[in-house]
C-alpha cells in the first residue's frame, strides 16, 4: 500500500497562506517589495565591496560573499512563493520540492559557516591585531569561503535523497510556504524517527557547532574589549561586532526553533512564522546592520555614487 501511494503521489500542494484568501494580492506586493529590497541591498554591498579599493580587506570580503549567499538563499524560496500567491496554483512536483530543499539546506549551511568565518575574522582583528595581516591573508580568506560552500554539500545531498526515498501516505498538502524538511516529514509513512535523528545531527553539525564557535569567539572578543584603555576604542569595537551578533541571533534563533521540533509537536503556523524570519528578515536587515551603520562603507558608497552618477 505504501508503494502504491508513493507511486501515485507525484506532487505536493504548498498551502502557504491559503487561510488568508482575501489577502493574497496584499501579501504578493509585500513579499515582492521585500524580495526586491533584498536583491538591491545585498547587490549594492557586493558591488561596492568589489569596486572600492578602501574596502579590499577581509571583513568586507566576507561581507560581499555573505550578501551573495543571502541573494541565492532567498532566490531559492521567494520567487516560488510569489508565483504561488500570484497564480493561486500551489502544486510542486516531488523532484522540484527535493531540489528546492537541497539547495535551501546547502545555502543554510553555507551561511552558518560564513557567519562563523566572520566571527573568527573579528576575533583575530581585536584579540590578535599584530598577527592579523599574517593570519587573515587573502589565501586564508578564500579557503574559508570555499570551505563554507562545500563542507555541507555531500551530507545534505545524501540526506535529501534519503528523505525523498521514503513513501508518502495520505494527503499531499504541505502546510508551509516552501519545501522545508518538517512539513513533508509529517506526511511520510511509517517510522520517521531515523529522519528526525538525522535532522538533529544536521542541526548540531551545521548549526550548533558554528554557533558555539561564534559564541566562543565573542566571549574572547568581549574579554579583550573590556581591557581596552580607550573608551573610543571600546565603542568602535562594540559597534563593529554588534551588527554581526544581531544577524547571528536572528539566523540561529529562528532556525533552531523551526528545526528542533519533533514530528508530533510540529505546528505549521509557528513554523511558517519562524521560516519567514530566517528566509526574509535576516537577508533584509543585513545591508542595514552591516553596512549602513558603518562609516567606512557609507563613505565608499558616497564616493562611488559621486564618481558614476555625480
Amino acid at each position: 500500500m505504501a508503494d502504491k501511494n508513493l507511486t501515485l503521489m507525484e506532487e505536493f500542494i504548498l498551502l502557504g497562506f491559503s487561510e488568508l484568501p482575501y489577502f493574497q494580492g496584499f501579501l504578493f506586493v509585500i513579499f515582492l517589495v521585500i524580495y526586491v529590497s533584498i536583491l538591491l541591498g545585498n547587490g549594492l554591498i557586493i558591488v561596492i565591496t568589489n569596486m572600492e579599493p578602501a574596502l579590499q580587506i577581509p571583513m568586507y570580503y566576507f561581507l560581499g560573499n555573505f550578501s551573495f549567499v543571502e541573494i541565492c538563499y532567498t532566490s531559492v524560496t521567494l520567487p516560488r512563493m510569489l508565483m504561488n500567491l500570484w497564480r493561486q496554483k500551489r502544486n510542486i512536483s516531488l523532484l522540484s520540492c527535493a531540489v528546492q530543499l537541497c539547495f535551501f539546506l546547502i545555502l543554510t549551511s553555507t551561511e552558518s559557516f560564513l557567519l562563523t568565518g566572520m566571527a573568527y575574522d573579528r576575533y583575530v582583528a581585536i584579540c590578535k591585531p599584530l598577527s592579523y595581516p599574517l593570519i587573515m591573508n587573502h589565501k586564508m580568506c578564500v579557503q574559508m569561503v570555499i570551505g563554507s560552500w562545500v563542507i555541507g554539500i555531500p551530507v545534505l545531498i545524501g540526506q535529501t535523497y534519503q528523505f525523498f526515498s521514503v513513501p508518502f501516505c495520505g494527503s499531499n498538502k504541505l502546510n508551509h510556504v516552501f519545501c522545508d524538511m518538517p512539513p513533508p516529514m509529517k506526511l511520510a509513512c511509517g517510522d520517521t524517527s531515523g529522519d528526525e535523528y538525522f535532522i538533529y545531527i544536521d542541526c548540531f553539525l551545521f548549526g550548533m557547532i558554528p554557533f558555539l564557535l561564534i559564541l566562543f569567539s565573542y566571549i574572547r572578543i568581549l574579554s579583550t574589549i573590556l581591557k581596552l584603555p580607550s573608551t573610543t576604542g571600546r565603542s568602535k569595537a562594540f559597534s563593529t561586532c554588534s551588527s554581526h551578533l544581531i544577524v547571528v541571533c536572528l539566523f540561529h534563533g529562528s532556525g533552531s526553533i523551526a528545526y528542533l521540533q519533533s514530528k508530533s509537536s510540529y505546528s505549521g503556523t509557528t513554523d511558517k512564522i519562524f521560516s519567514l524570519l530566517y528566509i526574509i528578515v535576516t537577508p533584509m536587515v543585513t545591508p542595514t546592520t552591516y553596512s549602513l551603520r558603518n562609516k567606512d562603507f557609507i563613505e565608499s558608497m558616497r564616493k562611488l555614487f559621486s564618481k558614476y552618477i555625480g
Side-chain angles (χ1 to χ4, degrees), residues 157-178:
I157 289 178
Q159 183 176 343
T160 304
Y161 175 79
Q162 178 187 358
F163 181 70
F164 278 88
S165 297
V166 303
F168 295 96
C169 305
S171 172
N172 64 342
K173 294 179 180 178
L174 302 180
N175 188 17
H176 207 31
V177 292
F178 67 96

Side-chain angles (χ1 to χ4, degrees), residues 126 224-241:
I126 294 172
T224 302
I225 289 175
L226 293 176
K227 294 176 182 177
L228 292 176
S230 167
T231 305
T232 305
R234 286 199 297 268
S235 176
K236 185 176 180 180
F238 273 123
S239 176
T240 303
C241 296

